[in-house]
Amino acid sequence: MSVEVIAVGGYEEVGKNMSAVKVGEDVVIFDMGIHLDRIHIHEDTDIARMHSLDLIERGIIPDDTLMKDVDGKVRAIVFTHGHLDHIGAVAKLAHRYEAPLIATPYTMALIEKTIKGERKFKVTNPLQVLNSGEKIQISPDITLEFVRTTHSIPQTVTPALHTSEGIIVYSNDFKFDNHQTISPPPDYQRFRELGRKGVLALIVDTTRAAEDDQLKTHSEKVARLVLKDIMEEPLKEDTGMIITTFSSHIERIQAICNIADESNRKILLLGRSMERYCTMAETMGLLKLPETASVYGSPKAVNRALARADENRSEYVLVATGHQGEPDALLPRIANGKTMFNVRPGDNIVISASVIPNPMNIANRNLMERRLKSSGARIFTNAHVSGHAGKEDHRDFIRMLDPKHLIPSHGNLNMLAAYTELAEEEGYKLGNDIHILRNGQAQVFNGGV
């Protein structure tokens, strides 16, 4: 029985992740994400009214039309976690397949919210919740297992497909973090067990494979300590404080709220995406907001909250969207003087997010920072650690799983090539057992482990 890995999206860029694995006549799809960089999409942008064909043409969602030529039946659509570059296209594409959507509880809740907000298509696929550590039978020859891992959003998993030809591991995204407060450490023991059982292929993200500054990604524990050092003294001043981070980074938001709660300040979590992720996480018991915290998502509610904070800035900590400098997000609008909150000399701005490296983000972020500085604000940009594996984490992962074949993904050609170089240091060889695919290409494996 042959195994085929089909690269649908995310093999030429960071984003719009979608892969398919065909085992005999059965197909399992992994992820349906959007490419945030192709148009002015950011955390607060709604694509619910846009048509899938327009989105495909613009390169915003995966071009899954190639799946029509795949001779097999899609048995399941599996999601690794709740980031938009992994679930953002579900409402545009899932209805084309008669298959259940499978995800962890928090990821599934975010998927459901995305589906309910859709205005073009009706998605009626069955929803199947699967927790980390659990398995489900997909077909007579395929069993799906969710292995616990860590990332920058709760309940991220690494799916493993158990087949008669060996195990296929799909790892987009992960980091090895032993010190998160919401998510337990990765299940290293299970990864090693899978390696001993026989991993036919590892499909793995390469987002940080080309970076040399951090060979092993720091834990969120480091980010908590940095945030505390930055925030502690300014919280005692009679100045404003705004913190921006990924609205989906519940672990980071929890840390920010815990630090701010030690002061006498009220916490305002502001922005539509901040409301979406945080309200869901709080409802599910993942996020524990202090009594002093409030969440506002609608423009009117945000404006009223900003007006209160502007009058009494020393009484509030604002946690806002807009860390990439996206023109319509909240912090850039504050920087541009388009809100009820006016930045004054001495105000403290903490940017707890790195720049996603593309020209548009770099330019937007630089412009936002310059405008904030021109208003007299003090800016801290180092309160962040990545949610993606560094080179040495990748090396550890390869050694745990000992896969027969490697398929680098979730990256541009430079990232895929950097991962290939690392894998060759581990004894693999490009064209032999390392397979670089482009969107629309496939790799067939005949024979098992």
Side-chain angles (χ1 to χ4, degrees):
M1 185 183 295
S2 67
V3 174
E4 183 177 2
V5 175
I6 304 159
V8 186
Y11 290 78
E12 298 176 10
E13 62 278 300
V14 176
K16 68 174 186 182
N17 292 284
M18 183 172 173
S19 301
V21 176
K22 182 172 179 284
V23 182
E25 301 303 315
D26 298 318
V27 179
V28 176
I29 289 173
F30 291 104
D31 289 339
M32 290 178 165
I34 61 175
H35 190 344
L36 294 166
D37 304 338
R38 286 296 169 94
I39 60 171
H40 296 291
I41 287 182
H42 56 74
E43 290 178 307
D44 283 342
T45 297
D46 185 8
I47 64 169
R49 299 184 185 279
M50 298 179 72
H51 197 282
S52 59
L53 295 179
D54 293 333
L55 294 169
I56 288 173
E57 186 176 348
R58 298 184 193 186
I60 296 162
I61 66 174
D63 184 358
D64 73 331
T65 56
L66 62 89
M67 294 298 295
K68 295 177 182 177
D69 299 323
V70 176
D71 186 20
K73 169 72 174 174
V74 176
R75 300 294 181 183
I77 305 170
V78 180
F79 298 91
T80 52
H81 62 284
H83 281 150
L84 289 176
D85 57 340
H86 296 261
I87 68 167
V90 61
K92 304 297 182 182
L93 302 178
H95 65 281
R96 304 181 188 186
Y97 308 95
E98 295 179 2
L101 312 182
I102 304 177
T104 55
Y106 183 59
T107 304
M108 187 63 79
L110 294 170
I111 288 170
E112 285 188 88
K113 200 166 185 66
T114 300
I115 290 172
K116 287 177 182 176
E118 173 62 22
R119 295 293 177 264
K120 286 288 184 183
F121 303 103
K122 187 175 179 60
V123 179
T124 58
N125 303 62
L127 307 180
Q128 176 70 56
V129 170
L130 191 69
N131 292 295
S132 63
E134 293 181 346
K135 296 179 182 178
I136 187 172
Q137 195 77 27
I138 300 296
S139 73
D141 194 53
I142 302 176
T143 299
L144 170 68
E145 177 183 4
F146 275 176
V147 184
R148 187 179 69 242
T149 192
T150 46
H151 185 38
S152 52
I153 189 170
Q155 296 187 0
T156 299
V157 290
T158 296
L161 289 186
H162 296 262
T163 79
S164 60
E165 304 304 310
I167 301 166
I168 298 93
V169 176
Y170 177 81
S171 186
N172 280 0
D173 297 309
F174 79 101
K175 69 181 287 189
F176 289 150
D177 194 337
N178 301 323
H179 305 286
Q180 293 194 10
T181 59
I182 294 172
S183 303
D187 193 344
Y188 302 114
Q189 179 179 343
R190 186 55 183 161
F191 285 133
R192 292 188 180 96
E193 289 172 355
L194 294 178
R196 289 192 289 271
K197 285 177 180 287
V199 174
L200 174 62
L202 168 61
I203 306 164
V204 61
D205 98 81
T206 62
T207 307
R208 298 195 68 224
E211 296 181 21
D212 288 324
D213 59 331
Q214 290 183 349
L215 297 181
K216 184 170 177 61
T217 301
H218 291 317
S219 166
E220 269 299 307
K221 184 177 182 179
V222 174
R224 292 196 297 271
L225 291 171
V226 173
L227 279 166
K228 189 172 180 64
D229 281 346
I230 289 173
M231 294 172 61
E232 207 164 26
E233 291 305 315
L235 282 170
K236 300 172 185 176
E237 301 171 1
D238 293 329
T239 53
M241 177 175 284
I242 306 175
I243 305 169
T244 183
T245 191
F246 296 94
S247 55
S248 59
H249 204 325
I250 302 304
E251 180 85 22
R252 186 74 53 79
I253 291 168
Q254 183 71 72
I256 291 166
C257 289
N258 290 349
I259 296 164
D261 193 43
E262 294 175 4
S263 70
N264 293 320
R265 298 193 184 211
K266 300 180 183 71
I267 304 161
L268 302 177
L269 297 155
L270 305 174
R272 191 166 63 86
S273 64
M274 196 70 70
E275 181 183 49
R276 178 171 66 245
Y277 285 106
C278 292
T279 301
M280 191 75 69
E282 187 179 28
T283 300
M284 300 182 74
L286 297 169
L287 176 65
K288 295 177 174 57
L289 291 177
E291 293 183 3
T292 55
S294 303
V295 186
Y296 299 103
S298 72
K300 287 184 178 179
V302 169
N303 285 334
R304 286 195 296 267
L306 288 173
R308 292 198 305 273
D310 189 64
E311 292 178 9
N312 305 285
R313 64 190 52 235
S314 63
E315 296 180 12
Y316 293 92
V317 174
L318 310 183
V319 185
T321 57
H323 46 80
Q324 298 301 307
E326 316 95 317
D328 296 328
L330 186 53
L331 183 56
R333 289 179 61 240
I334 291 173
N336 295 340
K338 294 182 178 180
T339 73
M340 301 295 288
F341 187 93
N342 299 296
V343 177
R344 298 175 187 170
D347 285 348
N348 296 281
I349 313 294
V350 182
I351 302 178
S352 187
S354 60
V355 181
I356 298 172
N358 66 66
M360 183 183 298
N361 284 345
I362 292 168
N364 286 339
R365 171 84 164 253
N366 181 264
L367 180 61
M368 178 184 73
E369 290 186 21
R370 284 195 286 112
R371 284 176 171 162
L372 290 168
K373 286 179 181 177
S374 70
S375 298
R378 185 183 187 189
I379 302 177
F380 301 87
T381 61
N382 63 329
H384 181 65
V385 300
S386 177
H388 294 270
K391 283 187 175 180
E392 293 309 308
D393 300 302
H394 280 296
R395 196 184 307 278
D396 288 340
F397 203 30
I398 289 172
R399 293 179 181 184
M400 286 180 208
L401 293 175
D402 190 25
K404 187 174 182 180
H405 296 274
L406 291 168
I407 301 178
S409 66
H410 200 351
N412 57 34
L413 187 57
N414 183 47
M415 297 168 184
L416 305 185
Y419 185 89
T420 298
E421 185 176 350
L422 180 146
E424 289 194 328
E425 293 173 6
E426 292 298 303
Y428 294 82
K429 187 176 181 181
L430 180 63
N432 182 27
D433 42 24
I434 307 171
H435 311 278
I436 292 183
L437 303 179
R438 313 306 279 154
N439 294 340
Q441 294 182 342
Q443 177 65 44
V444 178
F445 303 111
N446 291 304
V449 175

